[in-house]
Amino acid sequence: MTGTKTISEKPRATDGESASATTAPTQFIKTRLETYAYRRFGRGAALPLVCLQHFTGTLDNWDPAVADPLARGREVILFESAGLGRSTGAVPTSIPGMAEHFIAFAEAIGLTQVDVLGFSLGGMIAQQVALEHPALVRRMLLVGTAPEGGEDIMHIEKPELRKILEDRTLTGYQVLVKLFFTPSEASQAAGRAFTARLSARTEDREPLSGPNVAQAQIAAFRAWERVDGERFAKLRRITQPCLVVNGVRDTMIPVRNSYFLGEHLPNAMLLTYPDAGHGSLFQYHEAFVRQASLFLDSEAL
Amino acid sequence: MTGTKTISEKPRATDGESASATTAPTQFIKTRLETYAYRRFGRGAALPLVCLQHFTGTLDNWDPAVADPLARGREVILFESAGLGRSTGAVPTSIPGMAEHFIAFAEAIGLTQVDVLGFSLGGMIAQQVALEHPALVRRMLLVGTAPEGGEDIMHIEKPELRKILEDRTLTGYQVLVKLFFTPSEASQAAGRAFTARLSARTEDREPLSGPNVAQAQIAAFRAWERVDGERFAKLRRITQPCLVVNGVRDTMIPVRNSYFLGEHLPNAMLLTYPDAGHGSLFQYHEAFVRQASLFLDSEAL
């Protein structure tokens, strides 16, 4: 984990370089902890961008409209943590436990410094990795996420979320459209376009997450909400430049958690989108890609 | 105020086109209300950007590091409202009163559609103009400002502000450095660099604002804080794309006012900067210019 070598030390799958989020083959790497599924695509001089996924999501939940344009200029690596998709092992019940899997993956694949896109649960893991292994993380995109000690994180028992999750008329991706997008017609239409893009990948898909995944990840959220000692004190030690992003109508991890991040991370910009929920980066994929690229390509904030 | 003509209908001062914030000559225009001082510089295909100034500030308070790069690609017009600098008349004691002067100026100078950079007090005037004359305003940069019904707006009687304003050891721009920047060394250094840039203009400067200016503008702030009817309801009628910007440590107009704007304006992105106060756009001038240019040049958010 030391040194400044920024490209993979192991040979890369050449077909991955011309592939996309839709076509990149799933690869597997055996590590000291587990065997992880991952996908890599894109190329360029910039540091690789590792993407850490949301609650119950798998490699198949990354929007090509976000991942593919970000892969122009850099390699994008989608990581499947333990117990998800075809990765082996059990889903940890804490964020630090999940961070260990990311570390093991980065070591095994030969990544010594990366940029990270952490979405929702993935943003919490990104913060933990930045704390424990600051040299590994250069810059972070923290989207729809919360700091340790944040509040109202993924309380799926809330009436507004339970109503969606228990609606038997919603099938497949329709649940995701309701959960990640606001009730406005514009946002719902963006949600349908998003799930159509996800559906473009028809082969080599990951198995869906079962209730055991949700249960373990919810336990991790509850632990992450706990305040031990001075609230948000750890954020002062995360000195990497960060771009914090959220929709102002996020019902799964409300935007005030992003305000906490913007106010307490010493080197973070906050960006919010209107009429957007948890999936703001997918709804505003063009704006998000523009802003994220500008941030990743900048020397300063 | 109708039609889509977007460039000045009157001849422009040719020397203004090659001038900068530091060198642009002050011009004057007699209107149906008052005679206003203004400066214009830059050129390009984009809509003109009209800049509306902060509490007690004049034309001389626009940072060349912000105004000059924004003038690459568009004309920048700095407007001096009534009772300020060498503009005639009295400073109104309400935001709608100030908006009337902007309207009279735009009419007289032949501007039918513009982008607006409204900083602090200027951001309130921009919102009022967008409400009353929506066709005049295409996009707005609302920096360090607050919606009508906002809170803790320029309470210079607060201990943290009074301590600075009553400090006799601070002279000239030193007060501005303390008021607009955080106590951190990095922010104070940015403040000193900012005021050095302001000092580069040595001739054709505006007279400083006196206590009567401050008194009238404070009265306007107090009126703007009042909540009549449903709080923030008017914001729903401001449909222009907006980029709301603030420092997370703003003591003059705290960042929660920018959160209100981001949450209630139907088409606004919010951007916040770390370790920055009221003068966040001057402290992070490079990032601000990048983000503002990207926003002004975009078709959508």
Side-chain angles (χ1 to χ4, degrees):
Chain A
M1 277 314 128
T2 58
T4 56
K5 197 152 180 301
T6 57
I7 53 168
S8 169
E9 288 164 3
K10 301 198 176 180
R12 299 192 294 183
T14 49
D15 54 351
E17 292 179 2
S18 61
S20 68
T22 306
T23 62
T26 308
Q27 301 181 58
F28 299 90
I29 188 163
K30 189 171 177 358
T31 76
R32 61 179 167 79
L33 291 183
E34 300 291 345
T35 295
Y36 304 107
Y38 68 101
R39 293 177 192 149
R40 58 199 308 172
F41 46 94
R43 65 191 309 173
L47 278 190
L49 178 70
V50 181
C51 301
L52 304 179
Q53 191 57 287
H54 65 77
F55 176 56
T56 72
T58 70
L59 298 179
D60 298 329
N61 287 86
W62 286 110
D63 186 352
V66 167
D68 288 339
L70 287 175
R72 290 176 207 132
R74 63 182 55 74
E75 193 183 22
V76 167
I77 301 174
L78 313 182
F79 169 58
E80 194 83 290
S81 190
L84 290 152
R86 285 172 280 178
S87 292
T88 63
V91 177
T93 55
S94 75
I95 302 299
M98 296 173 186
E100 283 183 36
H101 289 292
F102 175 84
I103 302 292
F105 171 74
E107 278 177 13
I109 209 167
L111 297 166
T112 53
Q113 192 183 35
V114 296
D115 291 336
V116 178
L117 164 53
F119 175 36
S120 186
L121 174 66
M124 302 170 199
I125 300 166
Q127 292 171 66
Q128 189 67 29
V129 171
L131 263 179
E132 295 181 15
H133 292 269
L136 177 58
V137 180
R138 189 192 66 128
R139 291 184 161 237
M140 296 197 288
L141 300 160
L142 299 174
V143 185
T145 193
E148 189 175 355
E151 57 199 35
D152 195 7
I153 298 172
M154 289 285 173
H155 282 267
I156 57 175
E157 74 281 6
K158 286 195 298 191
E160 62 203 293
L161 296 180
R162 207 172 60 186
K163 191 179 64 182
I164 296 167
L165 290 164
E166 293 179 352
D167 185 342
R168 299 298 173 90
T169 69
L170 300 174
T171 58
Y173 280 142
Q174 289 176 330
V175 179
L176 207 55
V177 173
K178 292 287 183 193
L179 286 173
F180 275 25
F181 297 82
T182 79
S184 80
E185 182 40 47
S187 188
Q188 287 292 301
R192 290 189 295 271
F194 159 65
T195 56
R197 292 191 296 269
L198 293 186
S199 302
R201 187 181 182 97
T202 53
E203 294 178 7
D204 183 25
R205 291 178 66 96
E206 292 285 83
L208 293 176
S209 298
N212 59 318
V213 169
Q215 199 171 10
Q217 291 179 337
I218 290 283
F221 290 134
R222 294 295 79 77
W224 192 247
E225 280 180 334
R226 279 202 294 270
V227 178
D228 292 323
E230 186 197 344
R231 197 180 188 197
F232 306 135
K234 283 183 187 169
L235 295 183
R236 286 200 293 268
R237 291 160 41 206
I238 300 178
T239 56
Q240 284 89 346
C242 298
L243 181 64
V244 178
V245 175
N246 214 346
V248 296
R249 304 266 174 275
D250 189 338
T251 52
M252 306 192 83
I253 302 185
V255 66
R256 64 183 179 278
N257 289 290
S258 288
Y259 298 158
F260 294 145
L261 287 168
E263 292 175 13
H264 295 277
L265 284 168
N267 206 10
M269 286 191 298
L270 165 70
L271 183 65
T272 72
Y273 292 111
D275 184 31
H278 200 55
S280 68
L281 75 172
F282 309 134
Q283 178 169 344
Y284 288 96
H285 55 89
E286 289 182 348
F288 175 75
V289 166
R290 266 198 307 271
Q291 301 282 349
S293 301
L294 193 65
F295 170 75
L296 293 175
D297 294 341
S298 298
E299 286 301 306
L301 274 189
Chain B
M1 276 316 126
T2 56
T4 56
K5 198 153 179 300
T6 57
I7 54 169
S8 169
E9 287 164 3
K10 301 197 175 180
R12 298 191 294 182
T14 49
D15 54 351
E17 291 180 1
S18 60
S20 68
T22 306
T23 62
T26 308
Q27 301 180 59
F28 299 89
I29 188 162
K30 190 171 176 359
T31 77
R32 59 178 168 81
L33 291 183
E34 300 292 346
T35 295
Y36 303 108
Y38 67 103
R39 294 177 192 149
R40 58 200 308 171
F41 47 92
R43 65 191 309 174
L47 279 189
L49 178 70
V50 181
C51 300
L52 304 179
Q53 192 55 289
H54 64 77
F55 176 56
T56 72
T58 71
L59 299 179
D60 298 329
N61 288 85
W62 286 110
D63 186 352
V66 167
D68 288 339
L70 287 175
R72 290 176 209 133
R74 63 181 57 74
E75 193 183 21
V76 167
I77 301 173
L78 312 182
F79 170 57
E80 194 83 292
S81 191
L84 289 152
R86 284 171 281 177
S87 292
T88 63
V91 177
T93 55
S94 75
I95 302 299
M98 295 173 187
E100 282 183 38
H101 290 290
F102 175 83
I103 302 293
F105 171 73
E107 279 177 12
I109 209 166
L111 297 166
T112 53
Q113 193 183 35
V114 295
D115 291 336
V116 178
L117 164 53
F119 174 36
S120 186
L121 173 66
M124 302 170 199
I125 299 166
Q127 292 170 65
Q128 188 67 29
V129 171
L131 263 179
E132 294 181 14
H133 291 269
L136 178 58
V137 180
R138 189 191 66 126
R139 293 184 160 236
M140 296 197 288
L141 300 160
L142 299 173
V143 185
T145 192
E148 189 174 354
E151 57 199 35
D152 194 7
I153 298 172
M154 290 285 172
H155 281 267
I156 57 173
E157 74 281 7
K158 286 194 297 191
E160 61 202 294
L161 297 180
R162 207 172 59 187
K163 190 178 64 180
I164 296 167
L165 290 163
E166 293 179 353
D167 185 343
R168 299 298 172 89
T169 69
L170 300 173
T171 58
Y173 280 143
Q174 289 177 330
V175 179
L176 207 55
V177 173
K178 292 287 182 193
L179 286 173
F180 276 26
F181 297 82
T182 79
S184 81
E185 182 41 46
S187 188
Q188 286 294 299
R192 290 189 295 270
F194 159 65
T195 56
R197 293 191 296 268
L198 293 186
S199 301
R201 187 181 181 97
T202 53
E203 293 177 8
D204 183 25
R205 291 178 66 97
E206 292 285 84
L208 293 175
S209 297
N212 60 318
V213 170
Q215 199 171 10
Q217 291 179 337
I218 290 283
F221 290 134
R222 293 295 80 77
W224 192 248
E225 281 180 334
R226 279 202 294 270
V227 178
D228 292 324
E230 185 195 346
R231 197 181 188 195
F232 307 134
K234 283 184 187 169
L235 295 183
R236 286 199 292 268
R237 291 161 41 209
I238 301 178
T239 56
Q240 284 88 347
C242 298
L243 181 64
V244 178
V245 175
N246 213 346
V248 296
R249 303 267 174 275
D250 189 339
T251 52
M252 307 192 82
I253 303 185
V255 66
R256 65 182 178 278
N257 289 289
S258 288
Y259 298 157
F260 295 146
L261 288 167
E263 292 175 14
H264 295 277
L265 284 169
N267 206 10
M269 285 191 298
L270 165 69
L271 182 65
T272 71
Y273 292 111
D275 184 31
H278 200 54
S280 68
L281 75 172
F282 308 135
Q283 179 169 342
Y284 288 96
H285 55 90
E286 289 182 347
F288 174 75
V289 167
R290 266 198 307 270
Q291 301 282 349
S293 300
L294 192 65
F295 170 76
L296 293 174
D297 294 341
S298 298
E299 286 300 307
L301 276 191

